[in-house]
Amino acid sequence: MTYDGVADGRPADGDGVARGDLLVAEGLVKAYGGVRALDGVGIRLRAGEVHALVGENGAGKSTLVRVLSGTLAPDEGSLRFAREARAGGIAVVSQELSLFPDLSVRENLFPHHPPRRFGLLDRGAMDRAARPVLAELGLDPAPGTLLGELPLAEQQLTEIARALLRRPSVLVLDEPTSALPAAAVDRLEGVLRTLTGRGIAILYVTHFLAEVMRVAHRVTVLRDGRVTLAGARREDVGVPDLVTAMLGGAPPRQVPRTPVAAGGPAAVELSGVCVPGRLADVSLAVRAGEVVGVAGLQGAGHAAALEVVCGRTDVSAGRVDVAGRGRPRSLRDAVRAGVAFVPSDRKRHGLMTDRTVWENATAVSRLALGRGGLLPSRAELAGSIQNVTARLRLRGGPYDVVNRLSGGNQQKVVFAKWLATDPRVVVLDDPTRGVDVGVRSEMHRIIGELAAGGAAVLVASTDPAELTEVCDRVLVFVRGRVVGEVGGTELTEHGLAVAIQAEGGP
């Protein structure tokens, strides 16, 4: 493991920590069973620097943060603070806010051991302590304001203020911008400059690589619990370098699907579509027989595009045409136009888990489309789905209750429900989430068969590798706009990740 500047001759301060370093971790190992979440990880955080920590989900970022903050003991390795940093220690601001919206700003800032006078809360002392910290972050709420009345961005900054009131030497910000609009991100970046000017070391955990290039002084990348890029200076790396460190090399794409001939009819067409706060002038088309992916970082707008196609979200401007019937006004309207929608959360939105396979698999065709006659028997309905369940290789009989099936077979039931409608347009939102490799492969086979049968398939996935496996091309969304398209031999996991991240960020 290397680190730029470790062997630069800086004298140690007597604690084995080089001057300027506030925290030094070396050789950290943490195993869960036979899996090493951290495998010899090291990192150095310096005073007055923002050190970005990036990596895919499961790379070890959260485990490292827990070890650094003292909430998790490593199996091996060392963790040292500089002498001047010991008093302040580490403060962590997590991605999920740990605030109390029904309490005041003042009460949220001092949740533990607030100042007291004569046994009573000393609100004056609390406000005097909080005022300069809030001002430093550009906040000026009335102390008695209920926190839940503040915008999300100000709630996020309030949590940072609470951490700063502890006077930490090291501040960990874990995905601080994942739910913030662009203006709030700009504001936070200004706050980072203020804090580093005070000599605080900031560990900035994020998956927005464009953000890293704007705010970080150094960056460390984890992959599979190991450091693949250690403390690199921001000016020495680019987004493609970071993607390579996160994913490994960029293997060539396997033999791509043969796409439908150019000029085929558009089964889905959006032109200049706007959804306030979510989509801005989005245009796209999906032809019959084509599998088109939509991708982007969280909140980029690709999810909203799916909702428009399914009639779940209204538009403020632009033209929408789905299956030649204009814009669906509701999900029921979309279903009648020939749209199938497989949601990402099958248990909440895709299944009646306490009902049988046949009840789930016939629900849309029977109830929404009125197929099967007026009073079909259970046996007739169960028999009507045999071809579909056989096609999906479903392990379960028509009378089995869904909640007794495996997760993969439950997902197959969701697919069965929509295949039974003979859809013209298929919208898939994370279609293989939470299933094993075998089921994933079968789902991909079905997606290919749907396209080969003439359906237009629109798919989003949190797994870039999935998009490269099933799609003819992928549209990249950033801040509510389509900013690019990746297809052909360029459609690799590496190429797609670079395209998403090149202009990414909230």
Side-chain angles (χ1 to χ4, degrees), residues 65 68-69 90-94 98 159 163 166 168 170-174:
V65 167
L68 297 181
S69 62
I90 294 182
V92 178
V93 177
S94 299
S98 57
E159 179 138 27
R166 293 171 45 190
V170 177
L171 178 65
V172 178
L173 300 178
D174 189 0

Side-chain angles (χ1 to χ4, degrees), residues 295 464 467-468 474 476 486 490-501:
L467 295 176
T468 67
V474 178
V476 177
V486 185
E490 299 299 316
L491 185 51
T492 64
E493 185 178 0
H494 188 279
L496 182 57
V498 170
I500 292 171
Q501 292 282 2

Side-chain angles (χ1 to χ4, degrees), residues 346-347 350-356 359-360 363 401-403:
R346 60 177 174 265
K347 291 189 176 180
L351 292 171
M352 299 177 288
T353 56
D354 60 343
R355 302 293 183 89
T356 63
E359 288 174 295
N360 277 274
V401 177
V402 165
N403 61 17

Side-chain angles (χ1 to χ4, degrees), residues 22-286:
L22 294 183
L23 180 152
V24 178
E26 293 179 327
L28 296 178
V29 173
K30 184 63 185 179
Y32 297 95
V35 177
R36 287 197 170 198
L38 298 178
D39 191 3
V41 170
I43 194 167
R44 291 172 179 256
L45 305 181
R46 303 202 69 202
E49 284 190 351
V50 176
H51 194 130
L53 177 65
V54 299
E56 289 196 291
N57 291 337
K61 303 188 300 296
S62 296
T63 302
L64 178 58
V65 167
R66 293 176 64 197
V67 169
L68 297 181
S69 62
T71 61
L72 182 67
D75 300 328
E76 300 176 25
S78 64
L79 181 62
R80 302 192 304 277
F81 280 91
R83 183 182 296 115
E84 68 271 20
R86 288 179 181 169
I90 294 182
V92 178
V93 177
S94 299
Q95 179 179 3
E96 300 295 332
L97 297 182
S98 57
L99 300 172
F100 304 96
D102 295 330
L103 298 182
S104 68
V105 171
R106 179 193 297 117
E107 290 167 318
N108 273 279
L109 290 174
F110 297 91
H112 306 294
H113 311 296
R116 292 182 178 274
R117 187 178 184 186
F118 305 122
L120 302 175
L121 288 178
D122 190 342
R123 292 182 172 82
M126 295 163 72
D127 294 347
R128 286 192 296 274
R131 195 172 295 118
V133 175
L134 292 172
E136 193 169 41
L137 299 178
L139 289 172
D140 188 27
T145 303
L146 290 181
L147 185 85
E149 296 177 358
L150 299 181
L152 178 61
E154 294 192 6
Q155 292 184 37
Q156 180 84 64
L157 291 173
T158 301
E159 179 138 27
I160 294 174
R162 183 171 72 180
L164 292 177
L165 282 167
R166 293 171 45 190
R167 301 184 181 277
S169 302
V170 177
L171 178 65
V172 178
L173 300 178
D174 189 0
E175 301 285 4
T177 63
S178 59
L180 297 185
V185 173
D186 293 340
R187 183 177 181 183
L188 178 60
E189 291 175 4
V191 169
L192 295 180
R193 290 189 288 271
T194 298
L195 298 180
T196 53
R198 285 174 43 188
I200 294 175
I202 297 175
L203 181 63
Y204 194 88
V205 185
T206 184
H207 60 275
F208 295 117
L209 299 188
E211 231 172 62
V212 172
M213 302 309 293
R214 293 196 302 269
V215 305
H217 297 88
R218 298 181 185 272
V219 56
T220 290
V221 179
L222 296 183
R223 183 172 78 243
D224 297 329
R226 296 184 177 183
V227 175
T228 55
L229 187 69
R233 295 181 299 181
R234 178 189 60 192
E235 56 268 28
D236 292 339
V237 295
V239 168
D241 302 310
L242 298 180
V243 170
T244 297
M246 290 169 59
L247 302 179
R253 188 184 185 192
Q254 300 299 315
V255 178
R257 278 182 13 91
T258 301
V260 70
V268 175
E269 189 170 9
L270 276 58
S271 179
V273 167
C274 297
V275 174
R278 302 184 71 189
L279 294 177
D281 194 28
V282 167
S283 297
L284 61 85
V286 185

